[in-house]
Amino acid sequence: LRVQSIRNEFAVKSYETHARIAISIGDLSEYNQCQTQLWELYHENEEFKTHFHEFMCYRVLYYSATNNTQGLVKLLETLQHEDRKSGPVKYALKVHFAITSRDYYTYFKLLKSAPFSSSFILLKLQDFVRFQALKLIAKGYRPSNVPVQFCAKQLNMEENEFLEWARACGAVIEDGKLVTKMIKSLKKPKKAEPKDADDKRKGVTHGFFD
């Protein structure tokens, strides 16, 4: 479309559809390419902005996923007041604040009410949020050990799922409790790696938090 210089409603719908698909499969790099084209098209013609707030929601979440605070600030400066106050954008900003403030309770609550396709982006960040939450729980309750059942509930997981995940992070579980004095043994979940050269070129794992 870009090569053919197609700049009409069909182009907008095509980029929007492609962006949603990219989000649904976790390919934030491909989504970002569509996002860049949509931003230009939206500002060429007001009539193209039917789904503008939906895609601004994705853009805010994308900046959160890629830890790009500068990009987020620049975006908010360019948005009109009514756009910043729209439901989807306000939702995305709440998610961003929950992540940056390590408010995992609010994050998982927001996940349940994610609009449009934004839940796919939040799920991509879930391991990062859970890891930070696990460290906060361990530090907050130390030296007492914490029941696994409580930890699982706080991290929005089933008990067996939590046990497998926590052990993969290096957590020590004894007598059905998280051993908080072993907090230093925790290690981040393994970063996803591209499956092949094509995935690496496309940057499909782009957006993993450090």
Side-chain angles (χ1 to χ4, degrees):
L1 294 176
R2 187 176 183 182
V3 174
Q4 297 173 341
S5 299
I6 298 176
R7 317 288 290 179
N8 55 20
E9 188 175 353
F10 171 76
V12 174
K13 289 183 178 180
S14 296
Y15 281 122
E16 287 178 342
T17 299
H18 195 92
R20 292 187 185 104
I21 293 172
I23 289 172
S24 71
I25 62 175
D27 190 344
L28 294 187
S29 179
E30 188 68 22
Y31 155 74
N32 188 43
Q33 294 181 47
C34 297
Q35 167 186 268
T36 301
Q37 294 303 309
L38 283 169
W39 181 255
E40 295 178 5
L41 288 165
Y42 287 148
H43 288 81
E44 286 181 10
N45 191 330
E46 287 292 318
E47 294 182 359
F48 293 163
K49 288 188 171 183
T50 303
H51 303 291
F52 182 73
H53 291 153
E54 174 189 352
F55 281 86
M56 289 308 98
C57 171
Y58 299 149
R59 190 162 188 175
V60 171
L61 293 176
Y62 171 81
Y63 285 138
S64 295
T66 54
N67 203 19
N68 187 349
T69 303
Q70 184 177 358
L72 176 59
V73 171
K74 186 176 180 180
L75 171 64
L76 294 177
E77 288 175 346
T78 59
L79 288 178
Q80 298 294 323
H81 177 75
E82 57 268 26
D83 295 324
R84 293 196 298 272
K85 294 298 182 181
S86 70
V89 174
K90 286 175 67 176
Y91 169 86
L93 289 173
K94 287 179 181 178
V95 172
H96 175 75
F97 183 75
I99 292 172
T100 55
S101 63
R102 299 189 177 184
D103 182 358
Y104 61 88
Y105 175 81
T106 297
Y107 177 87
F108 289 121
K109 184 177 180 181
L110 288 168
L111 177 58
K112 296 177 182 179
S113 60
F116 310 115
S117 299
S118 58
S119 61
F120 291 108
I121 301 178
L122 269 66
L123 289 171
K124 190 175 179 67
L125 302 175
Q126 193 166 236
D127 267 359
F128 167 79
V129 175
R130 282 174 170 167
F131 182 75
Q132 296 299 328
L134 185 62
K135 290 197 297 183
L136 287 173
I137 291 171
K139 289 179 180 179
Y141 283 88
R142 194 168 50 188
S144 300
N145 294 337
V146 188
V148 165
Q149 187 177 15
F150 172 82
C151 293
K153 184 177 181 180
Q154 293 298 303
L155 272 59
N156 196 35
M157 304 172 83
E158 296 294 331
E159 191 170 328
N160 289 337
E161 180 188 11
F162 169 78
L163 284 170
E164 182 178 353
W165 177 85
R167 285 169 175 151
C169 291
V172 177
I173 308 294
E174 290 182 357
D175 299 324
K177 294 183 178 181
L178 172 70
V179 180
T180 57
K181 68 179 181 181
M182 300 297 289
I183 182 64
K184 292 183 179 179
S185 68
L186 294 179
K187 56 182 182 295
K188 297 178 184 177
K190 186 178 179 181
K191 179 178 177 180
E193 298 292 341
K195 294 180 180 179
D196 51 40
D198 188 52
D199 275 359
K200 185 175 182 180
R201 177 181 61 81
K202 292 178 180 177
V204 295
T205 60
H206 183 58
F208 185 83
F209 269 103
D210 291 325

